[in-house]
Amino acid sequence: MEARLTIHTEQGMGTISKRLYGYFSEHLGRCIYEGTWVGEDSEIPNIEGIRTDVIEALRGLGIPVLRWPGGLFADTYHWRDGVGPRQERQPIVNVFWGGNAESNQFGTHEYFRLCELLGCEPYLAVNMGSGSIQEMADWIEYLTYDGDSRMTKLRRANGRENPWKLKYIGIGNEAWGGGGKMRPEYYADEFRRYACYCRSFAKEPFYKVACGPYGGDTHWTEVLLERAGDMIDGMSLHYYTQREPHRGRATGFGEDFWFDHMELAWKMDQFLTDQDRVMSRYDPRKRIGLIVDEWGTSFEQEEGTNPRFLEQQNTLLDALVACIHLNAFNEHNDRVHMANLAQTVNVIQAVLLTKGPQMIKTPTYHVMEMFRPHHQAERVAINLRSPLYAYHGHTVQALTASVSRHQSDELFVTLGNCDPYCDVWLDVEAGAPARLCEGRVLTDSIWDAHNTFEDPDRLHPVPFDQVETTESGCRILLPAKSVTALRLTLAQ
Ligand code: AHR
């Protein structure tokens, strides 16, 4: 089967923000507790209570931004519960996620410390659902004010002298659902009111993210932008790659499940196109960013785990889903300002799984790492002619691609082949012979191949050299169900 990737090396398409490779960590199941926070007295190696292995692994991804504390949890979170001496903090009920006690041991100071340790930007979701404007304003003052005030005295008494740096702030989460069951008209008015009092005390103004729609719902977008577009910097978009009504397990599936997930993953590209079209009616200059602050696969929970903890294995299927999403985000870099994988550790499409002191990297981790050279690189325009992957009368594009560069003569190419059976020869046309500098591929003979605590390295990227130089570029053999990352140098 033949395919062609034409790279228009002369056409730069703007920077691919590193924030397209962001993450989301919620107080949900074992994402924060156990997965990230173990406490200073834990036998698990930690830095000020935060797992050392997790810090190191996330640093390996160049994690740019971390959204916290939810999700649905954010709309039940009252920040004062999570500051002050830890032994005096009172538990609350985590009503959305299992109804168990939330100890509040991990709060504002711990989160900002985590961001410092990771070298990433914070992205706070404030409580609009069950909180108040005053509560939000107090939090902002506590975080960003430098002078003397009731809030800064409290912050200092709690051990932090200087304000933190904070730019990204989300106002409400899924306001159309668990975050208040609002109509878009009502939410737009509420957003205006909250945004009025959501002022940073630092020099740099906040980047305010309004709650946007789910998937392809453009009605919410229309109403929101018409009524509040002038006050919005970014609009969120949530979409999970999940089969309804039976989500199915992450492992042990057949081709129908594989195909469905590829089809569901490809929808993201269409949603970005559709949302951008509507946004452009109100914002033709693309000032307002689309912030895909929840995306990822969602399966039934692993056997023996709490159904509200959303724990799932992560296989080659997740790797392909991630690849399709990330290439789509890159290709929409003029509108998408940020994207946050849901979630970071132990929950939904996690990059890391933990069991006691053990930690493993999932196939999704490897994809995020393989794509890292795209961070802050210049996207290069492409045309992709791809074969179709057909299943029972339905088809999806088999290949996905994205190309960027940091230096004029070196291209970075990420490719996915979601056809589980067909290897594809891809002709790369770049206008000059292309030499492979470095290539890696993630694949396996089994579509639900995954890493386990017993076999943590079953799936990892391996060197790739299936490249032949041609007069105008190169030819690459993309294995069935694979993710490939290549650095190519063009002859001058
Ligand atoms: O990521 C899990 C949940 O999914 C989030 O809390 C919520 O925003 C979404 O519905």
Side-chain angles (χ1 to χ4, degrees), residues 184-201:
E185 293 81 0
Y186 180 81
Y187 173 77
D189 286 347
E190 279 296 275
F191 176 84
R192 297 190 75 87
R193 213 160 66 89
Y194 269 72
C196 246
Y197 299 93
C198 185
R199 275 188 238 105
S200 175
F201 289 94

Side-chain angles (χ1 to χ4, degrees), residues 24 26 28 71-73 97 173-174 238 240 294 310 342-343 348:
F24 167 41
E26 180 168 13
L28 192 179
L72 288 168
F73 179 78
W97 302 119
N173 172 73
E174 298 193 348
H238 288 185
Y240 285 95
E294 289 187 32
L310 313 189
Q343 296 193 4
I348 340 185

Side-chain angles (χ1 to χ4, degrees), residues 203-253:
K203 269 199 211 111
E204 192 181 19
F206 284 144
Y207 182 105
K208 291 181 215 108
V209 181
C211 166
Y214 186 85
D217 170 11
T218 49
H219 173 66
W220 181 278
T221 309
E222 288 265 9
V223 176
L224 177 63
L225 293 192
E226 193 197 341
R227 293 179 176 229
D230 57 318
M231 298 180 78
I232 294 174
D233 299 306
M235 181 191 79
S236 71
L237 177 73
H238 288 185
Y239 173 65
Y240 285 95
T241 310
Q242 67 184 17
R243 249 200 340 189
E244 299 288 5
H246 303 295
R247 282 181 295 145
R249 285 270 157 81
T251 52
F253 49 78

Side-chain angles (χ1 to χ4, degrees), residues 64-224:
V65 58
L66 182 66
R67 177 175 181 244
W68 177 84
L72 288 168
F73 179 78
D75 278 317
T76 62
Y77 187 60
H78 301 284
W79 67 272
R80 281 187 179 82
D81 292 338
V83 297
R86 277 190 218 109
Q87 65 281 9
E88 287 171 24
R89 295 186 200 169
Q90 298 302 310
I92 56 161
V93 186
N94 193 335
V95 287
F96 279 115
W97 302 119
N100 56 321
E102 152 62 51
S103 67
N104 279 310
Q105 293 300 288
F106 189 91
T108 300
H109 291 248
E110 291 76 16
Y111 164 67
F112 277 89
R113 183 65 184 130
L114 171 63
C115 291
E116 276 167 6
L117 289 168
L118 295 174
C120 77
E121 291 174 291
Y123 170 22
L124 274 193
V126 301
N127 180 348
M128 177 194 254
S130 68
S132 68
I133 285 182
Q134 189 60 55
E135 187 181 5
M136 174 192 72
D138 285 348
W139 202 7
I140 289 169
E141 190 178 317
Y142 186 91
L143 295 166
T144 65
Y145 188 48
D146 203 10
D148 268 336
S149 74
R150 196 158 53 95
M151 286 302 125
T152 54
K153 279 184 182 150
L154 182 61
R155 183 186 75 219
R156 290 182 182 124
N158 288 336
R160 173 79 188 192
E161 176 62 30
N162 296 321
W164 286 281
K165 265 186 105 171
L166 174 66
K167 177 172 178 187
Y168 294 96
I169 194 150
I171 300 180
N173 172 73
E174 298 193 348
W176 34 262
K181 298 239 184 296
M182 301 177 202
R183 291 173 302 110
E185 293 81 0
Y186 180 81
Y187 173 77
D189 286 347
E190 279 296 275
F191 176 84
R192 297 190 75 87
R193 213 160 66 89
Y194 269 72
C196 246
Y197 299 93
C198 185
R199 275 188 238 105
S200 175
F201 289 94
K203 269 199 211 111
E204 192 181 19
F206 284 144
Y207 182 105
K208 291 181 215 108
V209 181
C211 166
Y214 186 85
D217 170 11
T218 49
H219 173 66
W220 181 278
T221 309
E222 288 265 9
V223 176
L224 177 63

